[in-house]
Amino acid sequence: MNDFKDCYQSAVENMHMLGMKEIHIDASSCMDESRHSRWVIRQMRRTMTTAFSAACLLFVCGFGTVKAAEYIENVIKVNEWGFESADAATMARNEAGTAGPCIISEEVKLPQEDEAVPLEEFAAKEGTGHAEASVESGGSARVNEVAEMADVTEAEDVQKPAAWEEALPEMPLEEAGLEKQKAIQPEERLFEDGAKEGVSEQTREGEIEEITEMEVKNYISFEEFKKNEDIVFPQPLISTGTGGEDVNVTVCGDWAMARYDIDGKVIWVERTDYAKTTGHASSKVFPGGVCNERQYTTAQGYVYTLVDSVKETEEEQLQIHGAVTVGTYEAYIDFMGYTEEEAIQIIESIDLSEYE
Amino acid sequence: MMEKKNGKAEVSVSQAADMEVLQQKINTYSDLLYRIAFLQLRNNQDAEDVVQETFYQFIKRKQEFATPEHEKAWLIKVTLNGCRKIWRSAWHRHMDAAPGEELPAGMEESAGSAMEEDILKKERNREIMEAVMKLPRRYREVIHLFYFQQMSIKEIGAVTKRKESTVTSQLTRGRELLKKNLKEEYRYE
């Protein structure tokens, strides 16, 4: 067995086989200051190139991360008529674009004269506490809920349209330059008598769109909801002590809403999960418009945007609407008949950290 | 005037003496340092630059050494540092040439016409150098200083600024990789 040391030394002596050339270094060439300067400059260039490449890589990675985070982040803003929400990228695009005609969801069918029913009359007719918020006087008017109202009244002996319905054509969604509403799902509503009212797809004149049907589930108690659903939906702690509360929870895909009827006052708690979407834009419109925009920061550090519905008459009940975005969730809460202090108390009782 | 002329003359004499000292050092150490630099960089131009820069530092610092071994160790250290400055750049890492690619064309002809023993020896030398060139730089450094410069673990640690235990483990790992890459078995102790 050969000794590696001897073999290696022999190999190094013959390193010219690997292309190493014989050199003769002269002292004067070593002492040449210009050569030394060139060496120093070359080293600096190499260092700067490496540093620049690293900086570019960090910038690209960081920029990409920020953009990805922005893309996921939801933004909620207040306009004259309520809330508009979108992912950050879409919101930025909307703001950069010019205000153009707004396309309201295909579900909205403006009722004809002989089809419309006043809101109050409708609610009284059904006599339930389960009617959607939109059909009650002063309630919020989501575009999809307006559609339900229009469809349901087809079978009714209708009268002249109520004031809020007349206002529909004037609904300034177009003027506000809002984006098209999110696709509406046809909903089934379970009334007290157990009859189900199918909702057919309606389109605005000239618009034809496809709507994906999604199952709508309605629960008449929170316990029933918790037994059958496994979704993140933190609720406020509400106790009246009178036992007079009535809870109704509706779930449709990534959207859920709970309605509390307590001693003549109403709370709607709503949330949508946008985790599975690649972009969205939607609006929440309140008939009559909103005013008194303000921010409220909870003890947990989450910031709600609060607005009040514009009162048409002094006798009207105060309606407070709140919106907050946490992670991929957008959450709304609407109060009817509650004071500001009571509303704040109820807002504080919701554990928004569940959405993180 | 005479004083000024004498001043200039003194400077010239001093410079000439420096140059002479430097040339002596170059004659003694250039081959050694050049091999080290070439083994690390595998590039003649860069290796020459590093060696020239080493001697430039040597004469500029005018450092006094206790023994010739200290002087040699210092020169090797500066050469290795110079090599690191070059191979740390991303450009150089991508431009690193593989061993064997620089084999001169005439080598094969001379191998064909040499005695069989000579051929075997050259083939073994080439295989060893290729195997060493394939090692990671930090192992290549230690293997060369240990087996060619015949430096102790302690001396290698001083030159490369590493702990003795680190040098020992790098030497062991270098040997293991060489055993794997070399067809022939060698005695490494």
Side-chain angles (χ1 to χ4, degrees):
Chain A
M1 196 184 286
N2 292 319
D3 188 40
F4 180 78
K5 188 174 84 177
D6 296 332
C7 296
Y8 182 68
Q9 284 179 357
S10 165
V12 172
E13 295 293 337
N14 295 292
M15 217 153 76
H16 58 271
M17 75 177 78
L18 288 179
M20 190 186 85
K21 63 179 186 183
E22 297 282 336
I23 59 157
H24 300 283
I25 298 176
D26 188 45
S28 57
S29 66
C30 293
M31 293 305 299
D32 184 9
E33 288 291 342
S34 63
R35 184 211 60 80
H36 173 69
S37 302
R38 284 196 300 273
W39 162 269
V40 169
I41 290 168
R42 224 179 309 149
Q43 292 310 308
M44 279 174 59
R45 269 194 201 140
R46 283 173 175 151
T47 305
M48 282 172 62
T49 305
T50 305
F52 181 72
S53 304
C56 285
L57 188 65
L58 279 171
F59 176 75
V60 168
C61 292
F63 185 73
T65 306
V66 166
K67 275 296 172 191
E70 273 181 8
Y71 187 77
I72 298 164
E73 185 188 332
N74 298 320
V75 180
I76 299 179
K77 289 192 174 171
V78 174
N79 61 29
E80 196 182 342
W81 295 95
F83 297 113
E84 57 177 291
S85 77
D87 59 280
T90 306
M91 186 66 82
R93 261 201 310 278
N94 293 348
E95 284 171 353
T98 53
C102 170
I103 304 171
I104 300 180
S105 169
E106 64 287 348
E107 280 295 308
V108 177
K109 178 195 170 190
L110 301 180
Q112 302 303 317
E113 265 194 24
D114 57 348
E115 286 182 350
V117 160
L119 276 175
E120 296 81 359
E121 190 174 333
F122 175 76
K125 211 166 192 173
E126 297 304 327
T128 70
H130 302 293
E132 296 293 338
S134 61
V135 302
E136 291 198 31
S137 172
S140 69
R142 290 183 70 89
V143 177
N144 55 336
E145 290 160 356
V146 170
E148 292 170 279
M149 170 62 195
D151 296 321
V152 164
T153 57
E154 279 178 16
E156 302 293 331
D157 184 15
V158 299
Q159 294 175 14
K160 221 176 163 185
W164 75 270
E165 287 180 337
E166 284 181 336
L168 272 178
E170 299 166 0
M171 190 176 292
L173 292 177
E174 294 184 17
E175 293 163 12
L178 292 176
E179 281 284 302
K180 181 179 165 181
Q181 302 297 322
K182 62 181 176 184
I184 303 303
Q185 309 95 7
E187 294 189 29
E188 287 184 323
R189 295 200 295 150
L190 182 67
F191 294 98
E192 199 173 51
D193 60 1
K196 282 190 184 177
E197 192 73 34
V199 175
S200 61
E201 299 169 26
Q202 296 291 335
T203 61
R204 212 177 191 192
E205 195 177 348
E207 290 179 8
I208 300 171
E209 289 191 12
E210 287 182 11
I211 296 173
T212 308
E213 282 201 26
M214 293 181 72
E215 189 188 357
V216 178
K217 290 173 259 186
N218 200 25
Y219 302 99
I220 55 173
S221 71
F222 204 72
E223 288 69 32
E224 195 188 335
F225 158 74
K226 277 167 74 173
K227 209 175 7 175
N228 291 285
E229 298 289 338
D230 183 25
I231 60 171
V232 176
F233 194 11
Q235 295 300 304
L237 294 171
I238 302 168
S239 105
T240 62
T242 63
E245 62 263 28
D246 199 5
V247 183
N248 188 300
V249 185
T250 307
V251 179
C252 178
D254 294 323
W255 175 84
M257 187 186 77
R259 175 190 159 130
Y260 296 81
D261 286 88
I262 307 164
D263 301 330
K265 298 188 250 187
V266 189
I267 302 171
W268 295 270
V269 182
E270 184 189 335
R271 95 344 167 219
T272 309
D273 181 11
Y274 290 108
K276 293 174 195 163
T277 63
T278 55
H280 68 276
S282 60
S283 297
K284 195 165 180 185
V285 175
F286 305 102
V290 297
C291 61
N292 192 18
E293 180 189 350
R294 60 218 183 266
Q295 309 275 326
Y296 175 73
T297 306
T298 67
Q300 287 182 311
Y302 299 102
V303 182
Y304 276 87
T305 302
L306 300 174
V307 293
D308 298 334
S309 275
V310 172
K311 279 188 186 179
E312 289 179 6
T313 61
E314 277 305 313
E315 291 75 35
E316 237 179 86
Q317 281 185 305
L318 174 65
Q319 293 181 64
I320 302 170
H321 313 286
V324 66
T325 167
V326 182
T328 59
Y329 291 87
E330 279 178 9
Y332 298 90
I333 187 163
D334 304 291
F335 301 90
M336 189 167 75
Y338 285 87
T339 63
E340 177 92 356
E341 291 72 30
E342 288 169 334
I344 295 293
Q345 222 172 352
I346 292 168
I347 281 173
E348 282 285 357
S349 69
I350 302 175
D351 183 10
L352 292 176
S353 64
E354 290 187 34
Y355 288 133
E356 300 264 20
Chain B
M1 282 288 276
M2 281 296 289
E3 284 176 359
K4 276 188 184 176
K5 277 187 182 174
N6 283 342
K8 278 188 184 174
E10 281 171 8
V11 168
S12 309
V13 166
S14 166
Q15 278 180 347
D18 281 344
M19 295 284 271
E20 201 178 317
V21 165
L22 181 61
Q23 193 61 57
Q24 280 176 6
K25 299 298 177 192
I26 289 172
N27 294 340
T28 308
Y29 295 113
S30 66
D31 193 54
L32 157 72
L33 299 179
Y34 186 73
R35 286 179 198 279
I36 290 174
F38 183 82
L39 203 65
Q40 298 301 315
L41 302 171
R42 295 185 283 193
N43 178 280
N44 283 302
Q45 185 60 47
D46 286 338
E48 195 174 336
D49 283 343
V50 167
V51 172
Q52 285 180 335
E53 185 62 21
T54 301
F55 287 118
Y56 176 88
Q57 298 288 341
F58 175 80
I59 204 71
K60 282 292 177 187
R61 297 203 178 188
K62 296 183 192 308
Q63 199 157 338
E64 296 292 328
F65 298 99
T67 61
E69 282 70 33
H70 283 117
E71 185 181 68
K72 181 177 157 187
W74 187 91
L75 288 167
I76 291 172
K77 193 193 302 187
V78 173
T79 302
L80 289 174
N81 287 341
C83 293
R84 281 192 204 106
K85 280 181 190 171
I86 290 180
W87 79 51
R88 266 182 193 155
S89 72
W91 174 256
H92 188 271
R93 279 200 293 271
H94 290 97
M95 292 295 289
D96 211 3
E101 290 174 5
E102 297 177 39
L103 188 67
M107 174 70 188
E108 291 166 8
E109 287 176 11
S110 63
S113 59
M115 300 281 289
E116 192 176 331
E117 204 178 308
D118 206 30
I119 295 170
L120 287 170
K121 189 180 174 186
K122 283 179 179 170
E123 185 59 33
R124 189 171 61 213
N125 289 342
R126 177 189 161 144
E127 191 195 8
I128 287 173
M129 286 315 300
E130 283 182 358
V132 169
M133 290 295 218
K134 278 182 190 170
L135 293 176
R137 285 195 179 84
R138 56 186 181 279
Y139 300 155
R140 203 190 310 158
E141 210 171 70
V142 170
I143 291 282
H144 182 78
L145 293 174
F146 186 81
Y147 287 108
F148 188 76
Q149 299 298 333
Q150 299 186 64
M151 294 169 79
S152 67
I153 301 287
K154 191 176 174 183
E155 287 168 341
I156 294 172
V159 162
T160 58
K161 293 182 222 168
R162 293 172 204 159
K163 292 180 189 173
E164 288 181 34
S165 56
T166 306
V167 174
T168 306
S169 67
Q170 286 177 344
L171 193 61
T172 307
R173 283 186 205 138
R175 286 171 185 157
E176 283 167 11
L177 287 171
L178 285 172
K179 281 178 192 171
K180 207 188 291 185
N181 294 332
L182 291 169
K183 294 171 198 169
E184 198 177 324
E185 282 189 20
Y186 294 91
R187 194 172 52 249
Y188 290 90
E189 298 300 329

